[in-house]
Amino acid sequence: MAAARTPAVRVRRVYEEPSPDDGVRVLVDRLWPRGLKKTDARVDEWPKALTPSTELRRWYHGPEGEYEEFCRRYEAELDAPEAAAALDRLRDLAARETVTLLTAAKDPSVSHASVLRRELAG
């Protein structure tokens, strides 16, 4: 009897070559990635309600931006009704199959995608 596989939530840069084990590919950036054709990205879903607000994104990338504070503010944004509903939908999806969160961030480990991954795992 084979052990049941727990679906994974992973984070990848959207510019990386799609992998057969990516499962459902979810773009979690508000803006479409620069220089990338939609056919090459192979994005299955693009829930813009899960992306950080423009104001928060600009703050984080500005001189005052600090990752821990960004995480706190972004988690608060995820409590908004539309974002919470989109997060619940992604949680349901992740409970059934592998979900790959895609971002154009140069370092996904200090981006909103890693916050989303923690939210989905927790």
Side-chain angles (χ1 to χ4, degrees):
M1 184 167 154
R5 186 181 72 79
T6 303
V9 177
R10 58 185 87 189
V11 175
R12 295 184 67 198
R13 291 197 73 223
V14 70
Y15 297 109
E16 295 174 23
E17 187 70 28
S19 171
D21 61 349
D22 281 346
V24 179
R25 293 171 53 87
V26 181
L27 180 63
V28 294
D29 290 349
R30 184 169 298 268
L31 304 173
W32 187 261
R34 189 173 293 174
L36 186 65
K37 293 180 185 173
K38 291 189 180 195
T39 54
D40 293 342
R42 288 201 16 239
V43 169
D44 298 309
E45 296 197 18
W46 189 11
K48 292 181 187 177
L50 285 179
T51 64
S53 66
T54 300
E55 297 79 17
L56 180 56
R57 191 171 37 84
R58 286 182 180 155
W59 173 83
Y60 181 48
H61 295 293
E64 303 294 317
E66 183 268 322
Y67 184 64
E68 292 306 317
E69 178 64 15
F70 167 78
C71 292
R72 191 188 67 68
R73 292 180 185 190
Y74 180 46
E75 288 165 355
E77 286 188 355
L78 290 174
D79 288 337
E82 191 178 355
L87 190 58
D88 285 345
R89 179 180 158 20
L90 217 49
R91 267 193 200 102
D92 291 344
L93 193 59
R96 295 189 312 270
E97 57 190 300
T98 298
V99 172
T100 299
L101 305 176
L102 302 170
T103 181
K106 289 181 179 143
D107 185 354
S109 69
V110 289
S111 76
H112 64 290
S114 65
V115 176
L116 279 174
R117 181 175 187 226
R118 280 196 309 267
E119 289 286 322
L120 293 171

